[in-house]
Amino acid sequence: MSFVQDLSSSPDSAALIDFSPEASSLAIRGLSLAYGDKPALRDLTLRIPRHRVTAFIGPSGCGKSTLLRVFNRLHDLNDEVVRTGEVRLEGEEIHGPAVAVAELRRRVGMVFQAPNPFPMSIHDNVAFGLRLQGGLSKRKQDDIIEWALRSAALWDEVKDRLRASAWSLSGGQQQRLVIARTLAVGPEVLLLDEPASALDPISTLKIEELIRNLKTHLTLVLVTHNMQQAARVSDYTAFLQDGELVEYGPTDTLFTNPRLRRTENYITGRMA
Amino acid sequence: MRLAKRSRARLPRGEGAGAWLAAGSVALSLLALLALLSLLAIRGLGHFWPASIALVALDDGRQLAGEQVREVPLPDGTGRERLYRIGNRDLDGTRWAWVPVSAIAAVSHPPELMVLERHRWGEAIGRLVAVESETGERLEGQAARAALENRMTELASLRQARDTLRDEVVLPRVQALQEGVDVERQLATANARLRELQAAMQAGHLTLETASGERWQVPLDQILRVRYPNAMSPLDKLVVWGEGVWRFLSEGPRAANTAGGVWPAIFGTVLMVMLMSILVTPFGVLAAIYLNEVAHQGRLTRLVRIAVRNLAGVPSIVYGVFGLGVFVYGIGGSLDEWFFDAALPSPTFGTGGLLWASLTLALLTLPVVIVATEEGLARIPDQQREGALALGATRLEMLTRVVLPMATPAMLTGVILAVARAAGEVAPLMLVGVAKLAPQVPVDGDFPFLHLERKFMHLGYHIFDAAFHGGDVQAAMPLVYATALLLVLVILVLNLTAIFLRHHLSTRHGALSRR
């Protein structure tokens, strides 16, 4: 793997691994973020590989969700947030003056912890992002909707009731609908913020299978509390604690042979 | 709205005083409400029932005829006395008679007793003696009855012909004349025809014999309706009752608001409330959106929010004073100087009117709408907002496509509360535009169709006026009850409309109200 550089021999770096700029989708350098005077992220530097699943793990409040929300600039809403450092999407700084936030959010989609379908029909939920863009014929729109629902493995369950309220679906179906809604606008990166934490085990398995299928054409970033889930679906895992990147490497290595005691304690559950 | 089955911990039924006390309070509130409504319904609607006319012979040989209203104990406790409505106010100076029960020798209900409803002086009660036409032809007995009936039909068509002529021929011509078109000849012909009709209506009179034996002539064109209550079957009475209720709803008031109908007041109330809703909704919703979605949630916003909530508690008459000072004298006065100076010194907008009353009530109900909308907005989970933003929506798109549709039921709840409050307010209206008697309703066929500067009638004020400012409070009381019942019904209908709208919207947007 020429794109991947093994850093495990250099003990001063948190990362066991680094990716060449050509192989990475997102590149974060020197990123710090604070809510007012309360720091949440401290000087993070890492690259996220394209068309792979990268998982962020760590105790509550370690900053993993905060980091995820930097990627699609959802923090713009909060005027308390102070941020320094750079985040590049395909080489382009996302906070740059030429970047349109709406366009960025279409390229970097996000799925939240609790399913949040809009109070509209299933069809309208998936069409929501497309209608914002406008300029699509009804036929083309319907094609994209069908494609998105198929990609989210939901088409067979809802094709006969696209006009029914999205809120009539089960929790797992709702979450897949939200994924379809996000896919419909054609993102390059999909951010998943604990997407299965509110779901039952069978729905969770379906979501995980979906994540594995989607990485053929998407870069996925997954935040999870569930260590087994990170081990099952991710290719690379980053462990964060107190806003710092503690360890980052291939999932197999990190879970079987962590370099640092802190990481080992967390993944074996010895840390509260 | 499906009723969700809730399994909640309840107070054990039948155990302890708490459950009984709570259930008792509910029962008491319901009873009070029921008592209020039935009082209004019985006293109000009973007024239109054509009651039997009793012919009362007294011990001293005198006789009187009238409708028994009620019977109460004498002040000294020695017996009881009855109140009869005997009518014939122009003969006796009163239309009521108190009679001690002990002084009554006999009561009968002869079928030939007649009640005349007249334009002025209220009803007349007696026996029909004769009908005389303009040519001096005199009919008595059964022939008189038939002639009277014919004449009433004739009069009705004459009245209609007159009204049509006036509204469709004379009024447009008068207007054309003012605009400089020469239609004087046509106008003169029409006026001549009007005078002819008037003369045809004035012809003839009938002779009535009262219970005390006096004979007396009533001009036929003074008579609105003729009834023989004692000869009527219950079904006939029901028909007359229905007609009475309908006239109450559809006609204008007569005799200084102590008789006739309340149609202009219903119209004014509904129109004013609808205008108020149209004015208050956008302002209230925008203010709530700003407070909840745009403003920085700091100390100042909290302060503004507290101030808004407190505004809801300001007595309504204070808003009336504000409306009089600012809207009527301030803005209205300036408008008159700028645009209507030809009409000065008589004011156009510089006096109370529909627009100022609606604005004042909109101001009064603004806090209600803001608070309800804000609560609705606050209930929408942030995930919904973030979900829209994450799909590339701007904040405006997020607001209009996700947040506002979800908050619509809450907004309508605010409007419902506003309507309920505004429709019952009377005090501020007395300062800013309500009229005891408004000859013209604020909507008609003349441009611009809706006349915002006109004064209007209002059910609430009509109640106040009829109850305290009429000459004959006894006669006005049933109308007061009926009007009060109507006011409750009007508010109920307005509220039901808004509730229906809210339900319709919330089913369209999914089962929103359940979250």
Side-chain angles (χ1 to χ4, degrees):
Chain A
M1 287 211 283
S2 61
F3 289 132
V4 183
Q5 194 188 349
D6 193 345
L7 297 177
S8 46
S9 50
S10 59
D12 54 319
S13 165
L16 294 169
I17 199 163
D18 198 7
F19 305 93
S20 71
E22 298 81 55
S24 52
S25 180
L26 283 158
I28 299 105
R29 213 165 75 190
L31 178 70
S32 295
L33 185 142
Y35 297 104
D37 49 7
K38 222 178 96 227
L41 298 174
R42 301 170 207 259
D43 193 26
L44 294 184
T45 300
L46 75 157
R47 289 205 178 100
I48 291 170
R50 188 181 300 125
H51 296 184
R52 295 285 182 277
V53 181
T54 305
F56 291 160
I57 60 169
S60 295
C62 72
K64 47 193 196 305
S65 289
T66 303
L67 180 58
L68 213 58
R69 284 155 173 267
V70 173
F71 296 156
N72 68 350
R73 289 182 60 177
L74 264 188
H75 282 308
D76 285 12
L77 289 180
N78 191 337
D79 37 357
E80 269 185 303
V81 167
V82 185
R83 178 194 51 80
T84 56
E86 56 183 49
V87 180
R88 291 176 177 276
L89 174 65
E90 301 296 342
E92 192 189 0
E93 170 60 48
I94 62 166
H95 297 95
V99 174
V101 183
E103 174 60 26
L104 172 77
R105 289 185 185 146
R106 282 198 277 272
R107 290 175 65 189
V108 184
M110 183 159 184
V111 173
F112 298 84
Q113 182 172 3
N116 60 347
F118 302 131
M120 322 166 173
S121 70
I122 294 167
H123 175 276
D124 288 353
N125 259 280
V126 187
F128 187 86
L130 298 173
R131 285 181 184 157
L132 290 177
Q133 282 173 299
L136 282 174
S137 72
K138 184 105 186 59
R139 213 190 142 73
K140 179 91 179 125
Q141 225 178 58
D142 286 346
D143 287 347
I144 296 179
I145 288 168
E146 180 176 344
W147 169 82
L149 284 169
R150 280 189 195 281
S151 303
L154 192 60
W155 176 254
D156 290 334
E157 291 161 59
V158 299
K159 64 183 174 199
D160 300 323
R161 48 176 179 139
L162 290 175
R163 299 287 160 197
S165 166
W167 287 9
S168 65
L169 298 173
S170 73
Q173 288 173 325
Q174 287 188 8
Q175 195 63 304
R176 277 180 284 148
L177 176 67
V178 172
I179 293 175
R181 183 173 82 183
T182 313
L183 292 178
V185 293
E188 302 157 32
V189 179
L190 187 57
L191 310 172
L192 301 145
D193 190 357
E194 301 182 42
S197 66
L199 304 182
D200 62 273
I202 292 171
S203 300
T204 304
L205 284 179
K206 280 188 182 162
I207 298 279
E208 289 178 4
E209 195 186 327
L210 183 57
I211 292 172
R212 278 194 291 269
N213 292 338
L214 287 174
K215 73 176 177 180
T216 53
H217 59 282
L218 281 178
T219 302
L220 290 111
V221 187
L222 170 73
V223 161
T224 181
H225 269 296
N226 182 334
M227 238 76 68
Q228 284 76 29
Q229 188 174 59
R232 279 196 300 264
V233 299
S234 70
D235 302 303
Y236 300 97
T237 300
F239 171 54
L240 282 83
Q241 198 172 27
D242 297 329
E244 287 173 355
L245 182 64
V246 177
E247 197 165 339
Y248 178 35
T251 300
D252 294 345
T253 320
L254 193 119
F255 276 95
T256 54
N257 190 15
R259 194 173 49 166
L260 297 176
R261 173 56 52 90
R262 282 206 281 169
T263 317
E264 190 183 343
N265 282 350
Y266 180 70
I267 59 182
T268 53
R270 271 196 289 263
M271 197 191 73
Chain B
M1 265 175 280
R2 256 183 301 149
L3 280 178
K5 265 194 186 170
R6 282 177 298 180
S7 53
R8 229 178 46 196
R10 293 175 189 281
L11 279 175
R13 245 178 248 178
E15 280 177 46
W20 281 109
L21 210 65
S25 314
V26 173
L28 206 68
S29 317
L30 282 178
L31 266 178
L33 198 69
L34 210 66
L36 172 84
L37 286 178
S38 30
L39 175 82
L40 293 182
I42 293 168
R43 292 280 177 86
L45 295 176
H47 168 67
F48 302 104
W49 187 256
S52 307
I53 302 295
L55 182 67
V56 183
L58 300 180
D59 287 340
D60 57 7
R62 283 192 297 133
Q63 282 199 329
L64 62 88
E67 174 190 332
Q68 182 183 335
V69 182
R70 59 176 177 269
E71 186 179 307
V72 291
L74 279 168
D76 55 4
T78 53
R80 301 175 72 80
E81 61 177 349
R82 284 184 191 159
L83 177 65
Y84 284 98
R85 180 159 71 193
I86 55 172
N88 304 350
R89 190 152 65 96
D90 38 346
L91 269 189
D92 310 332
T94 174
R95 61 170 117 167
W96 308 95
W98 284 102
V99 181
V101 177
S102 54
I104 295 175
V107 175
S108 60
H109 295 93
E112 76 274 13
L113 276 182
M114 178 174 71
V115 176
L116 301 176
E117 267 180 62
R118 296 175 297 170
H119 270 298
R120 299 176 57 214
W121 303 108
E123 64 272 269
I125 299 174
R127 284 190 187 87
L128 179 62
V129 178
V131 173
E132 277 172 71
S133 69
E134 62 268 46
T135 53
E137 186 187 354
R138 186 181 161 93
L139 296 165
E140 290 186 26
Q142 275 302 323
R145 265 199 201 201
L148 183 58
E149 214 162 291
N150 288 339
R151 182 62 186 159
M152 292 320 291
T153 336
E154 214 176 293
L155 267 173
S157 62
L158 280 173
R159 278 190 194 115
Q160 192 165 8
R162 179 196 59 187
D163 291 349
T164 321
L165 190 67
R166 193 184 52 204
D167 294 346
E168 290 173 14
V169 182
V170 177
L171 286 181
R173 296 282 184 284
V174 168
Q175 212 161 20
L177 204 63
Q178 280 167 354
E179 287 159 12
V181 188
D182 185 26
V183 284
E184 248 171 275
R185 273 177 57 109
Q186 291 168 320
L187 196 60
T189 347
N191 274 333
R193 171 88 185 114
L194 264 186
R195 277 191 293 275
E196 263 171 49
L197 285 171
Q198 212 76 40
M201 279 158 58
Q202 272 161 12
H205 58 260
L206 64 77
T207 307
L208 196 71
E209 187 186 57
T210 67
S212 49
E214 281 178 85
R215 291 200 172 191
W216 151 60
Q217 293 193 328
V218 181
L220 285 178
D221 73 325
Q222 275 290 308
I223 298 170
L224 289 171
R225 272 167 295 279
V226 179
R227 283 203 306 268
Y228 304 90
N230 294 351
M232 281 159 107
S233 71
L235 194 68
D236 292 337
K237 288 190 173 186
L238 196 67
V239 171
V240 169
W241 179 81
E243 285 171 354
V245 171
W246 172 247
R247 276 197 302 275
F248 177 68
L249 295 176
S250 63
E251 286 181 358
R254 286 184 284 118
N257 291 356
T258 55
V262 291
W263 168 246
I266 301 176
F267 190 84
T269 308
V270 172
L271 185 67
M272 194 267 305
V273 167
M274 287 197 325
L275 262 177
M276 184 274 319
S277 314
I278 292 170
L279 290 170
V280 75
T281 311
F283 275 114
V285 168
L286 284 178
I289 289 175
Y290 182 80
L291 280 179
N292 204 64
E293 305 281 322
V294 185
H296 178 76
Q297 298 298 316
R299 186 178 299 184
L300 187 66
T301 310
R302 272 210 303 282
L303 210 67
V304 171
R305 199 168 278 143
I306 292 170
V308 166
R309 276 165 168 71
N310 277 325
L311 271 182
V314 172
S316 56
I317 189 79
V318 176
Y319 283 96
V321 173
F322 177 85
L324 183 69
V326 174
F327 295 141
V328 177
Y329 293 152
I331 302 176
S334 310
L335 280 179
D336 276 2
E337 277 174 36
W338 296 335
F339 302 112
F340 302 98
D341 51 348
L344 284 174
S346 81
T348 308
F349 275 103
T351 176
L354 183 62
L355 178 65
W356 303 139
S358 306
L359 263 177
T360 305
L361 285 193
L363 208 64
L364 174 86
T365 52
L366 193 61
V368 181
V369 176
I370 293 180
V371 169
T373 310
E374 252 210 292
E375 275 166 10
L377 289 172
R379 267 204 308 270
I380 298 171
D382 273 341
Q383 294 151 359
Q384 291 283 337
R385 296 187 177 83
E386 290 179 340
L389 290 174
L391 286 170
T394 62
R395 297 199 63 175
L396 188 66
E397 286 166 337
M398 169 193 92
L399 266 177
T400 53
R401 294 181 189 219
V402 175
V403 174
L404 288 187
M406 288 182 81
T408 314
M411 284 174 219
L412 284 169
T413 304
V415 176
I416 291 169
L417 293 173
V419 164
R421 172 128 200 238
E425 278 299 346
V426 179
L429 295 180
M430 288 152 82
L431 297 177
V432 293
V434 88
K436 175 186 167 73
L437 188 68
Q440 295 163 301
V441 289
V443 173
D444 60 25
D446 297 337
F447 187 81
F449 310 118
L450 176 63
H451 300 274
L452 292 173
E453 80 286 357
R454 281 192 193 159
K455 288 186 185 291
F456 62 100
M457 292 183 70
H458 186 274
L459 284 171
Y461 184 71
H462 192 80
I463 294 172
F464 172 71
D465 186 65
F468 294 109
H469 293 170
D472 190 343
V473 176
Q474 284 278 25
M477 272 332 270
L479 287 179
V480 168
Y481 286 116
T483 314
L485 180 69
L486 194 63
L487 182 59
V488 174
L489 291 180
V490 165
I491 295 175
L492 193 72
V493 167
L494 284 169
N495 276 341
L496 283 178
T497 313
I499 288 170
F500 175 78
L501 205 67
R502 177 177 66 178
H503 174 63
H504 180 73
L505 282 170
S506 61
T507 43
R508 208 184 71 193
H509 290 297
L512 254 175
S513 44
R514 280 189 292 137
R515 277 207 175 177

